[in-house]
Amino acid sequence: MITLEDVKNNVEIQALIKASNQVLESMDYTEHGLRHAGYVSWTSAMILEKLGYDVHMQELAKIAGYVHDIGNVINRKAHGVSSGILLYNILKNMQMPYDDICTICSAVGNHEEEIGYVVNPISAALVIADKSDAHRTRVKRITQGDVHDIVNYSIIKNIVLVDGEKKIISAKFYMDETSSVMDYLSIFLSRMIMSERAAQYLGCTFKLYINDVVINTPKKLSD
């Protein structure tokens, strides 16, 4: 089985992650390099582990999380789609089974809230992990008046918690006074809505906390 370590040792993937981060840095975007890739990889697998998915699914989640943003090397718009297209031949050349390739490419190609849909468990875990990574360490420089930079820099801690027994996935953010909940929602609302849908796909409810206050009303699952 192809593992995350195999993917990390692939020079083509490493080059794409590095180049993608450089492209976004030139556009004053937050960090999208190895730190973000590692966080999303680990968190995606953790979500599935806590919910009882097998080791194979966890490994696919690790890989999808690690490579989900490589399409930024082509363009920020529809970068998930570009990532999936780039990945197909790379993973094929690594001799990954076709079923696994398709699962990963579908998840990666659908992780953007503007155009994506939750299509499989890997996809669901990837969405929640990716959308939860807001933190001041991702801000390379604050552009005056840029609410995205201001909000990210105000977040001093972020964490995803999974209660496998109660089927609750919680995303918690701790912000200082340099920004506000309203500013957070102005840029992250659509991402949190997609995270709600992803949690529902996994048979869970989703709770958003900011400074330990529940912001959303978790939707009840259908019987």
Side-chain angles (χ1 to χ4, degrees):
M1 182 177 82
I2 302 299
T3 67
L4 175 61
E5 289 306 310
D6 296 321
V7 170
K8 285 183 175 181
N9 290 328
N10 184 288
V11 294
E12 192 172 1
I13 287 175
Q14 290 301 313
L16 286 167
I17 292 175
K18 180 180 178 180
S20 295
N21 191 41
Q22 290 172 341
V23 168
L24 294 187
E25 183 176 4
S26 72
M27 300 167 63
D28 288 331
Y29 272 78
T30 50
E31 180 269 336
H32 281 73
L34 292 175
R35 179 216 159 276
H36 178 61
Y39 172 90
V40 178
S41 174
W42 182 88
T43 305
S44 297
M46 179 275 293
I47 292 169
L48 295 189
E49 178 188 10
K50 296 289 186 181
L51 295 176
Y53 286 85
D54 63 31
V55 172
H56 180 68
M57 290 290 280
Q58 293 173 39
E59 198 67 32
L60 295 184
K62 288 179 186 178
I63 295 170
Y66 191 76
V67 300
H68 73 284
D69 271 342
I70 62 172
N72 281 301
V73 74
I74 296 174
N75 198 294
R76 178 62 182 169
K77 292 185 178 180
H79 68 275
V81 175
S82 299
S83 297
I85 293 171
L86 288 170
L87 278 170
Y88 185 86
N89 280 328
I90 295 174
L91 297 177
K92 179 181 175 182
N93 290 338
M94 293 178 68
Q95 298 185 333
M96 177 179 279
Y98 285 112
D99 286 348
D100 290 348
I101 294 174
C102 291
T103 297
I104 290 174
C105 289
S106 295
V108 168
N110 277 283
H111 82 270
E112 296 174 80
E113 65 272 14
E114 297 89 352
I115 59 174
Y117 295 87
V118 178
V119 295
N120 56 47
I122 309 298
S123 168
L126 171 59
V127 163
I128 296 168
D130 182 44
K131 309 315 174 193
S132 73
D133 192 19
H135 192 271
R136 64 174 41 184
T137 55
R138 296 192 68 192
V139 180
K140 298 181 179 180
R141 57 180 175 270
I142 297 178
T143 303
Q144 187 174 4
D146 188 328
V147 67
H148 196 278
D149 286 347
I150 294 169
V151 169
N152 272 275
Y153 194 76
S154 74
I155 298 173
I156 57 178
K157 182 180 179 180
N158 63 308
I159 187 170
V160 173
L161 299 174
V162 180
D163 188 326
E165 291 186 4
K166 294 182 179 179
K167 299 292 185 180
I168 298 173
I169 299 175
S170 302
K172 295 190 172 186
F173 300 89
Y174 295 88
M175 302 173 65
D176 64 23
E177 295 179 353
T178 59
S179 189
S180 68
V181 175
M182 290 296 286
D183 283 341
Y184 174 90
L185 292 175
S186 73
I187 58 175
F188 284 110
L189 181 58
S190 61
R191 302 178 194 186
M192 292 302 102
I193 290 173
M194 191 176 192
S195 294
E196 279 191 336
R197 293 171 181 163
Q200 286 184 305
Y201 187 97
L202 294 170
C204 299
T205 54
F206 178 81
K207 289 186 177 181
L208 169 64
Y209 291 83
I210 297 181
N211 294 340
D212 287 326
V213 176
V214 181
I215 303 302
N216 65 327
T217 301
K219 297 177 180 178
K220 293 182 179 180
L221 297 175
S222 301
D223 294 331

